[in-house]
Amino acid sequence: MPKLTDAAAHKRKADPDKRIEIHDGNGLYLVIQPTGAKSWAYRYRADGKSRKLTLGTLLEQGAKPETEAEGDLPALNVTEARQRASAAAVKMQRGIDPGTERKRKEAKVKKTVSHILDQFIERYAKPNLRSADQYESTFDRLVKPDIGDYSIYEVRRSHIVNMLDDIDDESGPVMADRTLAYVRKAFNWYASRDDEFNSPIVKGMARTKTKDRAGKRVLADDEIRDVWAGLERVAEPSCYAPYVKSLLLTATRRNESSRLHSSEIDGDIWTIPGDRYKTKLDHVIPLTAAAKALIGEKPEGIKANSWFVFSTTGGEKPFSGFSKAKRDLEAAIAEIRKREGRDPMPSWRLHDIRRTARSLMSRAKVATDHAERALGHVIGGVRETYDRYEYLEEKRAAFEALAGLLAVILSPQTNNVVALRG
């Protein structure tokens, strides 16, 4: 018969000299460590050996039972612990070792995309491919920062498509297709080694018809406010909020802002060098007061006047943890919308912010040519060849108009005042 109640479990005292195990029946034990920590364990025999499976910790008095998070142990009351012990006993009757099953699940969770790509490079690419260095460089630069920390079993087609869209936007369709081919080969290699993995890559993902796949998503005003509000809740990394805001205020691509270096800034002028810009030409951006405020001061520990502005390593390396930070931001936005009784925010990606900036410029009555120049687009034909005028003042006016309209959107209560002034 069961011997424990919740009250009795909490009253039992620890022995400072040894661990105590109290049998509750059906293989369930309350384990009390010399430190006073209490947990639940299921003891059983498998393959002729005695084994122990830790089920969880003892739930604090008055608290509600927890739902087990993947890879974590929950806090359980007596009833919950008995239910889990009974479930483990049923598995044993069916010939399933519950301890081995948990270890397999935990190992499965730890297999991230980055881990699998590293395995592919070491076990297959280096011994068999002359282009192994190209694979490794592409994975490190373009794949791992985007989807690297996903479990290989959680990565979806949408994740692959969004990654390819970002590569297409920043490096062109050829690089996107090459990356797709590399990732497809790595995923197919791993699928041949794992019974449970199915590659999310399917036919039709290539960037062969970029115009047909061109993104059209533009954030609405309430979505911009939600992004800003969500960023206030994402405390780590600390550089993420100013980084995302910079994408809208400077209308830049994801990597153009993430790799912003102090050497590229002269007063209120940011010059993105051609060797890291899509057009291969230098792109000059006049920084508004709002944009410049995001840059911040020189990080502590940097001796030379040279550092990456958005960094998690004190300026030594540029920010690259896009996928995890974006998931945290999306979770914060979802919480805000749920609390206010609104529908979830439709899927979006960072490049949509650049498209949103362009749309806001049009809305702010910025001339089309000036807006295109502000985004670094090259005007084709004869003008591309002979018109070398930098349009600096026109760009400055375009970014000031963008910042002004954004300020109105973020503070809608001032709309009436702005309208009267207009």
Side-chain angles (χ1 to χ4, degrees), residues 337-355:
R337 287 187 159 233
K338 182 178 180 180
R339 187 181 67 246
E340 296 177 357
R342 292 186 288 149
D343 292 336
M345 184 167 168
S347 177
W348 65 287
R349 58 194 185 95
L350 291 181
H351 192 75
D352 297 334
I353 295 178
R354 174 174 161 88
R355 196 177 300 109

Side-chain angles (χ1 to χ4, degrees), residues 56-83:
T57 60
L58 177 63
L59 181 69
E60 294 182 5
Q61 287 181 302
K64 294 181 179 180
E66 298 177 354
T67 300
E68 183 174 3
E70 206 166 25
D72 297 327
L73 292 174
L76 308 171
N77 59 24
V78 173
T79 301
E80 284 279 330
R82 288 172 186 155
Q83 290 174 350

Side-chain angles (χ1 to χ4, degrees), residues 165-180:
D165 284 344
D166 288 333
I167 297 171
D168 191 345
D169 293 332
E170 296 172 12
S171 304
V174 174
M175 192 67 239
D177 279 351
R178 184 180 303 163
T179 303
L180 175 63

Side-chain angles (χ1 to χ4, degrees), residues 230 233-234 324-338 348:
R233 297 180 173 220
V234 181
K324 183 181 185 303
K326 176 107 175 340
R327 289 203 300 273
D328 291 343
L329 173 58
E330 288 173 339
I333 293 173
E335 183 180 344
I336 291 171
R337 287 187 159 233
K338 182 178 180 180
W348 65 287

Side-chain angles (χ1 to χ4, degrees), residues 46-312:
D47 299 326
K49 297 180 180 180
S50 177
R51 302 182 187 277
K52 184 183 80 168
L53 174 66
T54 301
L55 302 175
T57 60
L58 177 63
L59 181 69
E60 294 182 5
Q61 287 181 302
K64 294 181 179 180
E66 298 177 354
T67 300
E68 183 174 3
E70 206 166 25
D72 297 327
L73 292 174
L76 308 171
N77 59 24
V78 173
T79 301
E80 284 279 330
R82 288 172 186 155
Q83 290 174 350
R84 289 174 181 257
S86 296
V90 170
K91 290 180 179 178
M92 284 297 301
Q93 293 173 1
R94 295 175 178 174
I96 302 172
D97 185 334
T100 301
E101 183 185 41
R102 171 178 286 173
K103 289 179 180 179
R104 181 181 62 80
K105 289 181 177 179
E106 290 175 350
K108 182 175 176 180
V109 170
K110 293 177 182 177
K111 291 182 179 178
T112 62
V113 172
S114 289
H115 176 70
I116 298 308
L117 294 179
D118 289 342
Q119 279 193 327
F120 169 78
I121 292 295
E122 294 302 321
R123 294 177 179 270
Y124 181 83
K126 288 183 177 180
N128 300 292
L129 302 176
R130 292 182 181 179
S131 55
D133 289 345
Q134 295 178 22
Y135 275 78
E136 188 170 21
S137 175
T138 300
F139 291 158
D140 289 344
R141 291 184 300 107
L142 302 176
V143 182
K144 290 181 182 180
D146 210 318
I147 62 172
D149 59 350
Y150 281 103
S151 165
I152 191 68
Y153 305 97
E154 295 176 348
V155 68
R156 299 289 180 261
R157 293 176 188 174
S158 59
H159 299 147
I160 301 295
V161 170
N162 286 340
M163 178 188 72
L164 294 174
D165 284 344
D166 288 333
I167 297 171
D168 191 345
D169 293 332
E170 296 172 12
S171 304
V174 174
M175 192 67 239
D177 279 351
R178 184 180 303 163
T179 303
L180 175 63
Y182 289 174
V183 174
R184 177 189 286 113
K185 194 172 190 71
F187 280 10
N188 287 345
W189 170 83
Y190 186 68
S192 70
R193 302 165 64 90
D194 190 306
D195 294 334
E196 299 182 27
F197 174 66
N198 292 310
S199 175
I201 297 176
V202 296
K203 185 177 180 180
M205 287 185 171
R207 311 282 98 177
T208 50
K209 297 180 180 179
T210 54
K211 290 185 178 179
D212 292 344
R213 296 187 177 91
K216 298 179 181 179
R217 178 85 160 90
V218 172
L219 301 186
D221 288 3
D222 65 321
E223 293 175 329
I224 294 174
R225 289 191 288 269
D226 288 339
V227 170
W228 251 243
L231 289 170
E232 296 301 318
R233 297 180 173 220
V234 181
E236 295 295 335
S238 59
C239 69
Y240 189 65
Y243 159 67
V244 174
K245 292 177 182 180
S246 76
L247 294 176
L248 184 53
L249 284 165
T250 62
T252 46
R253 299 176 181 87
R254 187 183 70 172
N255 284 349
E256 291 163 5
S257 273
S258 70
R259 297 172 187 169
L260 169 60
H261 195 270
S262 61
S263 62
E264 299 172 356
I265 299 174
D266 183 10
D268 66 348
I269 297 296
W270 171 22
T271 302
I272 305 176
D275 60 5
R276 72 177 193 88
Y277 199 71
K278 186 174 182 179
T279 64
K280 305 304 179 185
L281 301 172
D282 290 356
H283 177 45
V284 177
I285 299 177
L287 297 172
T288 62
K292 198 168 182 181
L294 300 173
I295 294 175
E297 301 296 330
K298 178 180 177 180
E300 294 183 7
I302 296 292
K303 295 181 180 180
N305 190 31
S306 178
W307 68 91
F308 287 100
V309 172
F310 303 118
S311 173
T312 58

